[in-house]
Amino acid sequence: MLSIKLLGGAKKSFGTDLLQVDLDDIPIKTLLEHLLSIKPKDTLTLDTKNILVAVNGVDSSALDGYDTVLHKNDVITIIPIIHGGAHARSRFRVCAKSAEPVLR
């Protein structure tokens, strides 16, 4: 059994912050394919090209990347690397009125 912690947008993609999957001895890329296949249809897309995957607290890029084999009782953490926020606010004028976009 693998424990998968989901942070940020990944949490929103599944509607939970923790998943348990009954898989082991599979590479990360197979786990990601499985997660995409079980993701609820009405939730945010999980962009698997823009995530950091940690295995037992170690960034998978320091291991074998998406070829890293996952074993029973591993804890996988999925962290989106693209997220909202800006250092400066965007302002513009429309018909002599000031407007500021709100991103959600």
Side-chain angles (χ1 to χ4, degrees), residues 27-29 32 48 51-70 75-79:
I28 290 172
K29 61 186 168 195
L32 294 176
T48 59
I51 58 174
L52 182 143
V53 180
V55 180
N56 300 319
V58 178
D59 185 344
S60 62
S61 66
L63 303 168
D64 289 324
Y66 282 8
D67 291 324
T68 301
V69 176
L70 306 171
V75 175
I76 315 310
T77 307
I78 297 179
I79 308 158

Side-chain angles (χ1 to χ4, degrees), residues 34-45:
H34 174 73
L35 291 177
L36 290 176
S37 76
I38 65 168
K39 187 186 88 51
K41 302 281 187 236
D42 60 345
T43 59
L44 295 176
T45 301

